[in-house]
């Protein structure tokens, strides 16, 4: 994981997604800059596919929370 400038070579980018405790993971299908497609992947990659369900289990208390993210309200 690192920052990637639009003028770099994107050929080694294997997947792109956003994540957060509220939304889980959201697959990024395509990244286009000034009409040039930098990245395209029609389906989520293996990391997002594993991370999404893991975050869901953490959110709902189905797995231990090692980071102290959950608070009883």
């Amino acid at each position: 994981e690192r920052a990637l400038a639009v003028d770099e070579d994107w050929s080694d980018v294997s997947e792109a997604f956003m994540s957060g405790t509220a939304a889980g993971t959201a697959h990024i299908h395509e990244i286009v800059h000034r009409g040039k497609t930098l990245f395209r992947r029609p389906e989520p990659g293996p990391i997002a596919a594993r991370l999404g369900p893991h975050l869901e289990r953490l959110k709902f208390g189905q797995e231990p929370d090692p980071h102290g993210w959950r608070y009883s309200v």
Side-chain angles (χ1 to χ4, degrees), residues 5-72:
V6 295
D7 59 347
E8 288 186 61
D9 177 13
W10 283 62
S11 63
D12 64 338
V13 176
S14 60
E15 64 183 297
F17 61 91
M18 300 176 291
S19 66
T21 54
T25 59
H27 169 62
I28 297 174
H29 173 83
E30 185 175 56
I31 298 173
V32 178
H33 177 71
R34 295 187 177 169
K36 179 182 177 188
T37 300
L38 303 175
F39 171 82
R40 179 178 293 162
R41 184 180 182 127
E43 300 296 326
I47 295 172
R50 286 191 316 266
L51 182 61
H54 179 66
L55 281 175
E56 288 297 306
R57 291 189 301 271
L58 282 171
K59 283 193 318 190
F60 293 107
Q62 298 165 339
E63 284 190 17
D65 173 13
H67 307 287
W69 291 340
R70 285 190 320 262
Y71 293 95
S72 296

